[in-house]
Amino acid sequence: MAAFTLSRDALGRLVLRTADGVEHAGVVPVRAFPLSEPGAGLSLVGPDGHELAWIERLDALADGPRALVEQELAAREFQPEVRRLLGVSTFATPSIWRVETDRGATEFVLKSEEDIRRLADGGLLITSGQGVYYRIRDRRGLDRASRRLLERFL
């Protein structure tokens, strides 16, 4: 049994009720290892930035609280997945990348090659000049033209 309960208030904020009955509105879930283990180690943080509760494994929560945490995470973790590179303005940085993502076509600025981070699973995480993270799950799975464009920056 969890030492807390989760619900939403009338304003749609996540509310944590601890075992001693104290309610904390505006709670935010934060992943400890968002890339390597997204389902393990989540902290429920209050509006003041202090941790109020720890969740060892997301899948260990009951369906209701787990759905609330997943909804809150989805709203905070906007991370489009790049499916195809359509073009780059130049092979030097900064450059403008035109890409097709799981959320549609878009453009972003790649400020430097250091903004392309290699992940342990073979994927890439690209940080745009606007601070949006774009993910490539498997760079070997991209089409040939996309791989050729990408290789110029790796």
Side-chain angles (χ1 to χ4, degrees):
M1 183 171 147
F4 59 85
T5 60
L6 290 171
S7 61
R8 290 215 184 266
D9 65 10
L11 299 174
R13 298 177 301 177
L14 196 59
V15 177
L16 170 81
R17 179 182 219 138
T18 58
D20 59 1
V22 177
E23 286 191 356
H24 303 273
V27 173
V28 176
V30 178
R31 295 182 199 269
F33 310 103
L35 299 175
S36 61
E37 289 190 65
L42 284 101
S43 179
L44 296 178
V45 178
D48 61 357
H50 289 92
E51 181 177 296
L52 299 170
W54 177 256
I55 301 169
E56 194 66 39
R57 297 220 38 93
L58 185 57
D59 57 8
L61 288 178
D63 291 343
R66 182 175 63 241
L68 289 171
V69 170
E70 288 173 341
Q71 289 168 2
E72 199 71 21
L73 287 168
R76 294 186 69 228
E77 296 176 344
F78 178 71
Q79 196 176 81
E81 182 178 333
V82 174
R83 302 273 169 90
R84 192 167 63 135
L85 276 71
L86 303 173
V88 295
S89 63
T90 179
F91 292 114
T93 54
S95 62
I96 298 171
W97 287 36
R98 289 184 309 108
V99 297
E100 181 181 303
T101 73
D102 59 338
R103 299 168 190 251
T106 191
E107 288 185 354
F108 63 86
V109 174
L110 180 72
K111 292 191 299 187
S112 75
E113 292 172 4
E114 288 80 34
D115 290 333
I116 302 174
R117 181 174 162 200
R118 294 173 193 254
L119 302 176
D121 62 3
L124 299 170
L125 191 64
I126 303 169
T127 306
S128 75
Q130 296 81 15
V132 175
Y133 293 101
Y134 292 86
R135 180 144 190 186
I136 297 176
R137 294 218 180 266
D138 179 13
R139 65 179 180 257
R140 294 172 300 277
L142 293 173
D143 63 272
R144 185 172 184 228
S146 295
R147 286 193 315 268
R148 287 182 60 151
L149 286 172
L150 187 59
E151 285 170 5
R152 304 275 230 138
F153 292 91
L154 297 178

